[in-house]
Amino acid sequence: MRELTAFPRDGDTLIGTFDDAPGTTGLLIVSGGNELRCGAHRGMALLAADLAAAGIPVFRFDRRGIGDSDGANRGYQNSGPDIAAAARKFRTLAPHMKRVVGFGNCDAATALALFHRDAGIDALVLANPWIGGEEDDMPPASAIRSHYAQRLRDPRQWLRALSGGMDIAKAIKGLRKASSKSKQPTNPIAAQMAVAMVDTPRTILLAQRDNTAIRFEHAWHEPDIVHRRDTDSHSFARAGDGDWLRAQILAAIGAADPGTAPAR
């Protein structure tokens, strides 16, 4: 059963959606950027319904200043109290839950990594975590190397270059960055995430050809097992992506609660 609900946060009213189910481990979905709780292409709404049908309670919400919720949008850096309020509401709606797993994509993944302890979240599923942009507005060097490696294997790209169909100046700039041997500085956001997640069970999911995911993987030096999907869709919206994402989340929930045996 799906229920629309409201809960307070420092004088503002936040809106969430609860999908009820009998499981003792629930999933709290946190939206990234300015994305509504339904997700890109309604992906999070569909995921919630599917997981609830498999016996897993799910709660998703609009943080302050987004969608149906009141207040000012102050970005993911200040979303910790919103996440904590949502987790409290989730536990109130599903008092039979013993554990909560947090799931977020992009800067929602970053926010969960940084603020999950204050929210009492037991485990994390982090998809394509956001660790900041590039100063030169270009993809990270690792993404450029991957991009050009694929192009060099395609004879059509050689013909396109010879016929003037390629921006040579941009290609040269990219190649210079990709070939740079300078040592990459430690990413401060990644470093903060690593400290905040010490001893927290987590699953990291990456869209293999997404620049945000590539940038994260290049900066992440923790000994995590990373699950990769061969897609360029940041929101896992290509054919087959949704089934893969659902399977990874079910596995993470099962790991958080070995007694859980989701249906299907």
Side-chain angles (χ1 to χ4, degrees), residues 7-10 14 28 59 61 80-95 97 100 118-121:
F7 54 101
R9 166 65 188 111
D10 283 355
L14 276 61
L28 175 66
F59 190 79
F61 68 102
D82 296 9
I83 295 172
R88 287 194 297 271
K89 182 64 176 180
F90 190 14
R91 291 185 183 277
T92 299
L93 293 169
M97 285 193 313
V100 173
D118 289 341
I121 294 172

Side-chain angles (χ1 to χ4, degrees), residues 3-241:
E3 174 186 346
L4 187 68
T5 186
F7 54 101
R9 166 65 188 111
D10 283 355
D12 294 321
T13 299
L14 276 61
I15 303 299
T17 302
F18 173 55
D19 286 79
D20 196 8
T24 56
T25 296
L27 185 73
L28 175 66
I29 297 178
V30 178
S31 297
N34 295 324
E35 190 174 275
L36 306 181
R37 66 186 183 277
C38 64
H41 315 286
R42 294 188 64 247
M44 295 302 101
L46 296 172
L47 175 65
D50 205 19
L51 293 175
I56 298 165
V58 182
F59 190 79
R60 50 199 167 85
F61 68 102
D62 292 334
R63 74 166 186 245
R64 281 180 292 178
I66 301 293
D68 295 321
S69 292
D70 295 341
N73 177 8
R74 299 175 59 201
Y76 82 89
Q77 303 96 324
N78 298 288
S79 64
D82 296 9
I83 295 172
R88 287 194 297 271
K89 182 64 176 180
F90 190 14
R91 291 185 183 277
T92 299
L93 293 169
H96 58 283
M97 285 193 313
K98 297 178 181 178
R99 301 171 186 82
V100 173
V101 175
F103 166 60
N105 187 30
C106 197
D107 66 24
T110 310
L112 276 167
L114 296 175
F115 308 127
H116 68 284
R117 292 188 191 278
D118 289 341
I121 294 172
D122 302 286
L124 300 171
V125 181
L126 309 178
N128 305 321
W130 172 257
I131 56 167
E134 295 288 306
E135 293 181 1
D136 54 11
D137 293 326
M138 295 187 70
S142 50
I144 295 171
R145 284 192 290 270
S146 175
H147 173 75
Y148 280 107
Q150 293 177 20
R151 287 196 162 200
L152 289 172
R153 290 192 292 266
D154 185 353
R156 292 173 298 178
Q157 297 301 328
W158 288 98
L159 292 174
R160 182 166 171 255
L162 293 172
S163 64
M166 181 182 293
D167 187 336
I168 300 298
K170 183 178 179 181
I172 292 172
K173 184 179 179 182
L175 288 169
R176 283 176 177 168
K177 179 174 182 178
S179 62
S180 174
K181 299 296 184 181
S182 60
K183 184 178 179 180
Q184 295 294 322
T186 301
N187 181 280
I189 301 176
Q192 291 170 20
M193 291 172 63
V195 171
M197 292 194 295
V198 170
D199 297 329
T200 298
R202 68 239 187 188
T203 298
I204 295 177
L205 309 178
L206 299 180
Q208 199 164 342
R209 291 179 282 120
D210 170 65
N211 281 343
T212 299
I214 294 170
R215 184 177 295 118
F216 171 81
E217 187 163 22
H218 185 69
W220 191 246
H221 305 301
E222 299 301 305
D224 290 287
I225 296 175
V226 177
H227 304 271
R228 302 170 185 83
R229 171 72 178 173
D230 185 12
T231 182
D232 63 353
S233 176
H234 183 68
S235 57
F236 299 101
R238 305 288 187 221
D241 288 356

